[in-house]
């Protein structure tokens, strides 16, 4: 089986925006309020951060449970990991996710600034420079035959799309508009020259967009 | 996590029929021609019997790839395993699936007639008697913490539904009618007293029905 690079459960507003400008420690999504972006996922039985039993097991749950299936590594941009810019400050920051990050694989954080790797529970964060293709090669090796997830944020997803390295994308469009911020696309049609697309409305109100290479 | 009993990718016609009467060696689905029931699945990248690369990676593929996710054992009725009735003849029959059955777990075949277990590649078939709850207990133990798939046929699915042992069902309704045969339901509404239901039309023409316990 081919080792795919997969974007999974990537959430945007109906005007294509995944996050706002002006990210801070307190506001990982900057000037936009992300809560409603992820409501659909938090309601499912397989949501990785779920702490109580219950949750739905319908269509949306199929997507939250597919998040980890056959994934052996994640790649993320520095701004998904944290709000710092430039050389790493000695602030003890170890990501937004606490002592039990939901990735449970090696994670490759793209940065121009060196920093030692560290491990939290089942997740090890590595900090790597280089072009998308070079980072992908490292992640593929770490994934030991499994697929690699491209975790975001939006700038990183666009960078890998521009380099034509993405095999499948699952983008969830939530029924809200942000007006301004970091935009994935003007329209999903932007990708149709390279990808098949299926558009699947969910009873929860979000619309799943499933892309795979032509 | 709870150990679920899951029906996955169970295909029926729009009039609720999964198979015909008069099963034979040559016609596992008896008097109905099943080809079109499974066309949607055969077109996907993750179809377990796929021998060439390619295939779609849209909605239908999410269901074919979920077929094996977190499954540790399967239960099937004797008529899913073969067309024989009564005491097992010495006919060398080892199931419909050749040397590489797609289950890759222990499989518990329900029968009133004893027969030694045997292994084909990653699949071991056990032949067990007893009530559904007893068979489920055996399969749960063999699944080592993973879920158990209830594979069918339709009589077996109904038997486990009647005993209220099924946690989730994924039923695929194909756009064809058979008129007569072995029927899963008169209408999906038959199950709404005990299950939530989401109905998800696929671009391929089938309609996925997702049930989970209330």
């Amino acid at each position: 089986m081919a080792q795919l690079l997969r974007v999974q459960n990537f959430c945007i507003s109906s005007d294509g925006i995944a996050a706002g400008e002006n990210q801070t420690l307190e506001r990982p999504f900057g000037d936009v309020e992300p809560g409603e972006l992820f409501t659909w996922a938090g309601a499912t039985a397989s949501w990785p951060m779920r702490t109580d039993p219950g949750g739905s097991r319908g269509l949306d749950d199929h997507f939250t449970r597919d998040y980890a299936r056959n994934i052996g590594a994640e790649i993320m941009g520095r701004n998904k990991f944290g709000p710092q810019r430039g050389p790493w400050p000695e602030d003890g920051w170890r990501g937004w996710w606490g002592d039990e990050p939901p990735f449970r694989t090696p994670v490759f954080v793209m940065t121009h600034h060196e920093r030692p790797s560290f491990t939290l529970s089942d997740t090890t964060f590595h900090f790597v420079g280089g072009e998308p293709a070079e980072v992908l090669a490292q992640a593929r090796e770490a994934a030991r035959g499994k697929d690699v997830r491209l975790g975001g944020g939006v700038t990183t997803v666009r960078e890998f799309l521009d380099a034509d390295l993405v095999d499948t994308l699952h983008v969830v469009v939530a029924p809200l508009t942000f007006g301004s911020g970091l935009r994935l696309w003007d329209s999903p049609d932007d990708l149709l020259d390279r990808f098949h697309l299926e558009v699947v409305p969910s009873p929860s109100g979000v619309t799943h967009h499933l892309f795979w290479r032509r």
Side-chain angles (χ1 to χ4, degrees), chain A:
Chain A
M1 290 292 284
Q3 236 185 328
L4 304 178
L5 181 63
R6 295 158 46 191
V7 175
Q8 299 271 138
N9 295 5
F10 194 77
C11 301
I12 64 174
S13 63
S14 57
D15 50 348
I17 293 166
E21 305 277 359
N22 304 311
Q23 186 187 47
T24 66
L25 271 177
E26 293 72 30
R27 294 183 65 83
F29 289 82
D31 292 338
V32 309
E33 179 51 63
E36 292 174 75
L37 275 186
F38 302 104
T39 308
W40 70 275
T44 66
S46 305
W47 175 237
M49 270 75 92
R50 173 169 289 282
T51 51
D52 54 338
S56 66
R57 294 184 183 275
L59 178 67
D60 291 343
D61 192 56
H62 278 74
F63 291 105
T64 52
R65 72 171 83 135
D66 199 52
Y67 176 78
R69 185 197 51 81
N70 198 41
I71 291 288
E74 162 145 340
I75 295 169
M76 64 172 66
R78 178 170 181 178
N79 299 358
K80 177 172 171 178
F81 178 77
Q84 305 85 355
R85 305 291 184 264
W88 294 97
E90 287 184 20
D91 61 357
W93 179 258
R94 305 180 95 190
W96 305 105
W97 304 279
D99 293 337
E100 297 265 0
F103 310 108
R104 302 179 183 286
T105 65
V107 172
F108 293 84
V109 180
M110 295 176 73
T111 170
H112 299 297
H113 300 276
E114 286 186 18
R115 177 173 172 165
S117 301
F118 64 85
T119 298
L120 289 172
S121 182
D122 301 329
T123 301
T124 297
F125 290 96
H126 302 290
F127 298 84
V128 294
E131 292 301 306
E134 296 168 290
V135 174
L136 177 56
Q138 284 181 271
R140 281 213 167 110
E141 188 174 342
R144 295 165 177 259
K146 293 188 174 182
D147 293 341
V148 175
R149 183 173 49 231
L150 181 60
V154 63
T155 310
T156 304
V157 172
R158 291 194 59 133
E159 209 175 355
F160 279 77
L161 282 171
D162 290 346
D164 200 21
L165 294 170
V166 177
D167 296 303
T168 67
L169 288 95
H170 165 227
V171 178
V172 188
V173 179
L176 70 164
T177 54
F178 287 143
S180 68
L182 301 172
R183 203 175 286 271
L184 178 63
W185 58 41
D186 289 322
S187 154
D189 295 349
D190 296 357
L191 298 174
L192 293 187
D193 55 335
R194 286 183 286 154
F195 291 95
H196 297 278
L197 168 61
E198 280 183 10
V199 178
V200 184
S202 168
S204 65
V206 301
T207 306
H208 298 281
H209 288 65
L210 307 175
F211 298 86
W212 70 100
R213 264 186 206 280
R214 289 191 173 278

